[in-house]
Amino acid sequence: MLLLILSWKDEPTMDRTCPFLDKIYQEDIFPCLTFSKSELASAVLEAVENNTLSIEPVGLQPIRFVKASAVECGGPKKCALTGQSKSCKHRIKLGDSSNYYYISPFCRYRITSVCNFFTYIRYIQQGLVKQQDVDQMFWEVMQLRKEMSLAKLGYFKEEL
């Protein structure tokens, strides 16, 4: 992994086919963002990649009527990504869509762990993390991968 980071750091790219990102997609990102509602899961991955996904707590805003069906979007008691009856304390919005999708804490943690990884990678690619040496970068990437691994196993902080 250290060699992959070294080669990627020289010419950072967001192209998922580069060896460094390909490994992380295969081992962490795809498993973390695989949900039973696969079409919505694919849209979530695309929004995360494009940095157009927003997550907000439920209950702090007035409930808006949306065009999508209640089954598709879930609700405060049904997760849109898993279809399971769960208490959904957050909802997501994909891009410029007016639809909100209610998500369980389990799904939220999986999505945010991937978002945290992408944020860090984008910062490097944009030159905002220049001063970090490769060892620091390696350990930060490993910590973010650990967070994704814990999320996909179902471990998440209860306060989410």
Side-chain angles (χ1 to χ4, degrees), residues 3 12 19 34 46 62 80 86 98 106 118 123 128-129 139:
L3 293 175
T34 298
E46 183 179 334
K86 298 282 181 188
S98 61
F106 169 67
F118 272 101
Y123 285 171
L128 300 174
V129 189
W139 288 111

Side-chain angles (χ1 to χ4, degrees), residues 1 55 79 83 97 125 145 156:
M1 179 54 98
I55 300 176
C79 180
S97 171
Q125 197 233 358
R145 292 186 74 193
F156 61 92

